Amino acid sequence: MDTKDIKRQLNISLWISFFTGIFFFTIFTKDKNFHNFLICFLVSSLYSFVLVFGNYYSNSYLNKKYSWIDNTKRRIILGILSTVLVNVILVIICNYLNFIVLQKNNPDHFFSGQLGFVNWLIINIALLISAIMHAKGFMEEWKKSSRKEVVEQKLIAKSANAQFESLKNQLDPHFLFNSLNVLSALIDENPNQAQRFTASMSKIYRYVLEQKDKELVTVEEEIEFAKTYCELLKTRFEDSVSFDFMVNEAALKSYVVPLSLQLLLENCIKHNFATSSKPLHIKIFTENGFLLIENNLQQREQVKESAGIGLSNIVQRYSLLTKLNVFIEKSDDFFRVKIPMLTQKVTAMSSQPSQESMAYQRAAKRVQELKGFYGNLISYCLVIPFLIFVNLYTSPQYLWFVWPMLGWGIGLASHALKVYGVGRAWEEKQIRKILDKEQSK
């Protein structure tokens, strides 16, 4: 057992002993002398040490078995049952030692008359203090969990954003390197085309610089850029390469990762040979919410293994933006890549945090419900014993305290059913159904 926790429980026990000893010495002791104060303090110490450590070990055992966060409902139910059982047993033991062993009262009257009322009153006080300690323990665990979750989410967000920036920074040198390779080939083959290529490349590179820092661009922007880039490729390959754009107009307002088409077109040229007798046919079209880039397979032999920057870059950037997958299909006749078109313009990491924020909101609402219930329970345990004391002290012949005790008790029971009741699972299930339906739309 942790020495720090034991010292803490000792301090709590001593403070409770001191204040309750002063309370009983001041209210119930006629002869105000040091001897009587010492007796009050020792009797209070008996109750406080037994009850504090009894509840401490009981709670520690339950905390090891059931987490406040992961098994909230079971932990609360078992906590209530154990609290009632432990406190009733410990209070009866302490009362027997106090009233029967120390004060020499008749054991036959222990559960009746004035001693029976004292047993009941002290049990209620012990339950009230235990309920407060349970609520305090629950809130401390929840705060620890919330702080830990916030730190974890910040680390995840920072890591993902850093990864996203790193992926975007690959685009600049990657495009420049491939374009210079094409230009180098054209200088030897056709100097005039090389000059036109250089002029066109400057325009295209301007687009690269403008768009590479964006998370998403419209399909329309990407298609226009791809057409310009295809003209650039046609300058070099002439009739060895053909391009066919069949994009639905309704899809033009959707969003894709910037420069994704350019990277995929580069892949088509890089991994396939193209000649006038065997031209390379590249199709760009839309289908079922995806933008597809397909080419007839004329795979060339690779002198060295490809770095795989283009395709892996697209896959990784999409994984940081959405749960929708990038699909790669290959057969003996064609190679096809399907990239999802998004209907909403989002920023990096928008998908996961939205779910986490929804979970946090639900958790915050749950905490408020539990706090409200515990507040109601503590008020009940505090006020009802006071009303019983006032009733029995002023008019014991008419037990009017029964009515507020029953009325408030029924309200407390309905509150407990609302917080932990059977209908809650059904309610959450229906809410989840509605949210899933809205998300699918």
Side-chain angles (χ1 to χ4, degrees):
M1 194 63 66
D2 191 354
T3 307
K4 187 177 180 181
D5 282 341
I6 294 176
K7 288 181 179 179
R8 186 164 171 257
Q9 302 308 313
L10 284 172
N11 287 331
I12 293 172
S13 302
L14 287 172
W15 281 108
I16 293 175
S17 301
F18 180 72
F19 284 110
T20 53
I22 292 176
F23 174 77
F24 283 106
F25 176 74
T26 306
I27 302 299
F28 298 104
T29 305
K30 293 181 181 179
D31 298 330
K32 304 293 191 295
N33 54 54
F34 179 75
H35 179 263
N36 287 336
F37 173 75
L38 187 61
I39 291 174
C40 287
F41 177 75
L42 291 175
V43 171
S44 298
S45 299
L46 169 67
Y47 283 95
S48 62
F49 277 85
V50 170
L51 292 173
V52 167
F53 277 93
N55 281 280
Y56 168 68
Y57 283 108
S58 172
N59 289 338
S60 297
Y61 176 78
L62 288 176
N63 288 337
K64 288 180 180 178
K65 293 289 184 180
Y66 305 102
S67 168
W68 277 113
I69 309 304
D70 299 328
N71 308 104
T72 305
K73 187 174 181 179
R74 183 176 293 181
R75 176 64 181 84
I76 290 173
I77 292 172
L78 291 176
I80 292 172
L81 293 175
S82 68
T83 298
V84 173
L85 183 64
V86 168
N87 282 282
V88 168
I89 293 173
L90 294 180
V91 167
I92 289 175
I93 292 173
C94 290
N95 282 347
Y96 190 85
L97 292 173
N98 180 21
F99 297 114
I100 305 303
V101 177
L102 297 177
Q103 298 188 30
K104 309 297 183 182
N105 287 299
N106 188 352
D108 297 334
H109 299 153
F110 183 63
F111 292 106
S112 61
Q114 186 176 4
L115 286 181
F117 170 73
V118 171
N119 281 329
W120 184 85
L121 181 63
I122 295 178
I123 286 172
N124 276 275
I125 294 172
L127 289 174
L128 169 64
I129 296 172
S130 297
I132 294 172
M133 298 305 293
H134 269 279
K136 184 174 179 290
F138 169 75
M139 294 308 298
E140 286 177 351
E141 289 297 320
W142 200 281
K143 285 180 181 178
K144 286 180 185 177
S145 176
S146 298
R147 285 196 293 267
K148 183 180 178 182
E149 186 175 355
V150 168
V151 171
E152 287 177 352
Q153 289 304 315
K154 284 182 177 179
L155 290 175
I156 291 171
K158 287 180 180 179
S159 175
N161 284 329
Q163 184 182 359
F164 195 82
E165 290 301 320
S166 175
L167 289 169
K168 288 192 296 184
N169 289 335
Q170 288 180 354
L171 300 176
D172 206 356
H174 182 255
F175 171 78
L176 184 59
F177 175 77
N178 284 281
S179 298
L180 290 176
N181 278 343
V182 174
L183 181 60
S184 175
L186 279 177
I187 289 173
D188 293 332
E189 296 175 8
N190 193 326
N192 293 329
Q193 284 187 348
Q195 290 181 357
R196 289 194 296 272
F197 185 92
T198 304
S200 299
M201 193 180 78
S202 65
K203 295 178 183 178
I204 292 174
Y205 197 67
R206 186 183 300 115
Y207 177 86
V208 173
L209 294 175
E210 290 173 354
Q211 304 298 337
K212 77 179 184 68
D213 291 327
K214 296 181 180 179
E215 280 77 25
L216 294 170
V217 295
T218 62
V219 173
E220 185 176 14
E221 289 178 296
E222 193 70 5
I223 291 294
E224 290 300 318
F225 167 71
K227 287 180 178 178
T228 306
Y229 186 71
C230 289
E231 290 176 3
L232 203 64
L233 294 175
K234 287 284 287 183
T235 302
R236 177 186 176 188
F237 294 100
E238 298 179 343
D239 57 349
S240 299
V241 179
S242 65
F243 302 94
D244 192 4
F245 288 86
M246 297 178 293
V247 178
N248 192 337
E249 288 188 10
L252 294 177
K253 300 303 178 184
S254 301
Y255 295 91
V256 293
V257 167
L259 304 178
S260 52
L261 282 182
Q262 182 258 330
L263 290 173
L264 293 173
L265 289 168
E266 277 185 7
N267 269 4
C268 294
I269 300 297
K270 182 178 180 181
H271 297 290
N272 295 274
F273 66 86
T275 63
S276 300
S277 57
K278 288 187 177 181
L280 182 67
H281 300 290
I282 301 174
K283 294 193 297 183
I284 298 97
F285 59 101
T286 52
E287 182 181 273
N288 298 327
F290 285 86
L291 183 62
L292 290 81
I293 297 87
E294 178 184 308
N295 64 273
N296 57 317
L297 197 62
Q298 299 182 161
Q299 198 163 357
R300 69 169 70 183
E301 293 183 5
Q302 298 292 327
V303 178
K304 61 178 180 178
E305 188 177 349
S306 172
I309 292 176
L311 193 55
S312 64
N313 183 287
I314 294 171
V315 172
Q316 290 180 67
R317 283 198 289 160
Y318 264 107
S319 69
L320 293 174
L321 288 169
T322 178
K323 289 186 175 181
L324 298 174
N325 294 321
V326 175
F327 293 98
I328 301 168
E329 300 173 1
K330 184 178 180 181
S331 72
D332 294 335
D333 300 321
F334 68 86
F335 183 84
R336 179 188 299 153
V337 179
K338 299 166 65 173
I339 59 175
M341 295 186 296
L342 307 180
T343 55
Q344 291 183 345
K345 191 169 186 178
V346 295
T347 55
M349 292 297 294
S350 64
S351 297
Q352 268 192 324
S354 63
Q355 293 176 0
E356 294 297 335
S357 63
M358 287 174 64
Y360 179 79
Q361 289 172 7
R362 289 196 298 270
K365 183 180 178 183
R366 181 66 173 160
V367 170
Q368 292 300 320
E369 290 176 352
L370 291 169
K371 285 172 65 179
F373 172 71
Y374 271 116
N376 195 359
L377 177 63
I378 291 169
S379 300
Y380 181 84
C381 294
L382 187 64
V383 173
I384 294 300
F386 176 74
L387 294 179
I388 294 172
F389 176 78
V390 171
N391 182 190
L392 296 178
Y393 186 78
T394 57
S395 54
Q397 66 279 3
Y398 175 59
L399 302 179
W400 52 263
F401 73 86
V402 174
W403 306 113
M405 183 176 71
L406 287 176
W408 196 348
I410 293 171
L412 186 64
S414 65
H415 194 174
L417 284 174
K418 183 179 178 182
V419 177
Y420 306 109
V422 179
R424 185 173 186 87
W426 177 86
E427 180 184 345
E428 291 180 350
K429 186 177 179 181
Q430 297 305 313
I431 292 172
R432 197 176 297 111
K433 273 186 180 180
I434 295 171
L435 287 174
D436 291 342
K437 188 182 291 185
E438 291 294 327
Q439 188 174 4
S440 64
K441 287 181 181 179

